[in-house]
Amino acid sequence: MAKVIAPFKITGTLDDINFILMPDGTNYARMKGKTGVTSEQFKNNPIFNTIRQQGSEFGHCVKKSALFRQIAFNFNKLSKEVSFAGRVNKLLFEILEEDATQPRGQRTLIEGLKTNEGKELLLGFESNKLRPLRKVLKIKEQWNDDNQTLKLTHFVPKKHLDWPEAATHVHLAIAMANWDFEKETFDTCYSEKIMLYKESEKQTVVLKTEIPKGDQLHLTFFFIGFAKQDRKKHTLLHRKNNTTTIIASEIPNTQKITEL
């Protein structure tokens, strides 16, 4: 490292030389070292095989995640936070890793989703990790696959929900989607939204959806969104206050995977 002797101080880079100003005011010049690897080295050196294979598989999942994020779009847009897309990528990659039919680097999401373990990874996925269902809802919902019905028995809104400070009302809804992950299509049916006042008395809430078209993989989403009343208008709070959760996964007419 060379020392710079001049009536002025220099910082930054000039060609291959870095100029560094030390805390004590001393000025040094240092030639940049040759670090990193070339694209050709990364492509051909077997030491990078694992990194290349993982990158290829993760890229495969990133491409598939755009469709997955659309399956319950009407809910997700109202209840997600900034890590949502990245967490979907991670979720799909974890499912891909359940593919035992192909070697590393050639595994696919399709094969991962054919396993029970892959499907189970979907359960409990939150669009908003800041407001997980088990924190927001203080009683257990009752989901019935046979008639696509969710029930909250003896539900007291003020007691059984974790209310944001500004909220006066809550919106409740469910959606059931058929995800044909091989053909990369889906069909989603949404229930009617039920809106309840925070001070509402004890009641039994029932939410019901139609059956989506298709019999590949049925996913059930539960949405809880909080709103603020302003005169006669009810405005949903920012999506960071709300939650959407996958609560059930089922292959129709074959076997129930599990339920959250």
Side-chain angles (χ1 to χ4, degrees), residues 106-156:
Q106 300 178 34
R107 297 175 297 184
T108 66
L109 180 63
I110 288 176
E111 293 302 322
L113 281 166
K114 289 179 180 178
T115 67
N116 284 342
E117 293 80 6
K119 297 182 185 75
E120 288 174 0
L121 285 168
L122 294 163
L123 289 166
F125 180 76
E126 306 278 1
S127 297
N128 180 6
K129 71 173 184 178
L130 303 176
R131 297 279 284 168
L133 179 62
R134 294 301 167 231
K135 176 180 177 181
V136 174
L137 181 64
K138 299 178 181 180
I139 61 171
K140 184 69 171 67
E141 74 283 356
Q142 300 160 359
W143 169 248
N144 189 325
D145 290 314
D146 296 330
N147 58 12
Q148 304 81 54
T149 300
L150 182 144
K151 183 182 293 186
L152 298 174
T153 305
H154 306 311
F155 180 59
V156 182

Side-chain angles (χ1 to χ4, degrees), residues 41-212:
Q41 289 173 323
F42 181 77
K43 180 179 179 181
N44 297 316
N45 193 328
I47 198 173
F48 298 115
N49 282 350
T50 300
I51 298 175
R52 288 196 301 268
Q53 292 165 354
Q54 181 168 323
S56 175
E57 291 179 342
F58 191 76
H60 168 76
C61 293
V62 170
K63 292 179 181 178
K64 302 295 185 183
S65 72
L67 179 69
F68 181 79
R69 297 196 303 270
Q70 296 296 312
I71 293 176
F73 177 76
N74 290 355
F75 289 172
N76 291 331
K77 68 180 180 181
L78 301 174
S79 55
K80 63 180 180 179
E81 35 70 48
V82 294
S83 72
F84 174 58
R87 289 187 296 106
V88 171
N89 295 341
K90 181 176 182 293
L91 170 68
L92 298 188
F93 183 71
E94 290 175 350
I95 295 172
L96 174 144
E97 290 183 304
E98 296 298 329
D99 175 10
T101 67
Q102 300 294 329
R104 183 186 294 271
Q106 300 178 34
R107 297 175 297 184
T108 66
L109 180 63
I110 288 176
E111 293 302 322
L113 281 166
K114 289 179 180 178
T115 67
N116 284 342
E117 293 80 6
K119 297 182 185 75
E120 288 174 0
L121 285 168
L122 294 163
L123 289 166
F125 180 76
E126 306 278 1
S127 297
N128 180 6
K129 71 173 184 178
L130 303 176
R131 297 279 284 168
L133 179 62
R134 294 301 167 231
K135 176 180 177 181
V136 174
L137 181 64
K138 299 178 181 180
I139 61 171
K140 184 69 171 67
E141 74 283 356
Q142 300 160 359
W143 169 248
N144 189 325
D145 290 314
D146 296 330
N147 58 12
Q148 304 81 54
T149 300
L150 182 144
K151 183 182 293 186
L152 298 174
T153 305
H154 306 311
F155 180 59
V156 182
K158 185 175 183 179
K159 177 181 177 182
H160 292 145
L161 290 173
D162 180 26
W163 289 81
E165 184 175 351
T168 58
H169 290 74
V170 65
H171 293 199
L172 305 172
I174 59 173
M176 176 180 276
N178 178 71
W179 181 20
D180 187 338
F181 48 82
E182 294 199 51
K183 294 183 179 179
E184 298 190 3
T185 61
F186 66 88
D187 181 61
T188 306
C189 296
Y190 293 89
S191 72
E192 295 291 332
K193 285 184 181 179
I194 293 178
M195 184 174 70
L196 299 175
Y197 179 46
K198 183 177 181 179
E199 302 294 338
S200 296
E201 296 184 355
K202 182 190 297 184
Q203 59 192 284
T204 294
V205 175
V206 178
L207 299 165
K208 181 177 175 60
T209 71
E210 298 297 324
I211 301 175

Side-chain angles (χ1 to χ4, degrees), residues 1 3-4 9 20-28:
M1 183 181 291
K3 184 176 181 181
V4 180
K9 302 300 181 183
I20 304 168
L21 184 62
M22 304 299 285
D24 63 359
T26 306
N27 208 179
Y28 288 100

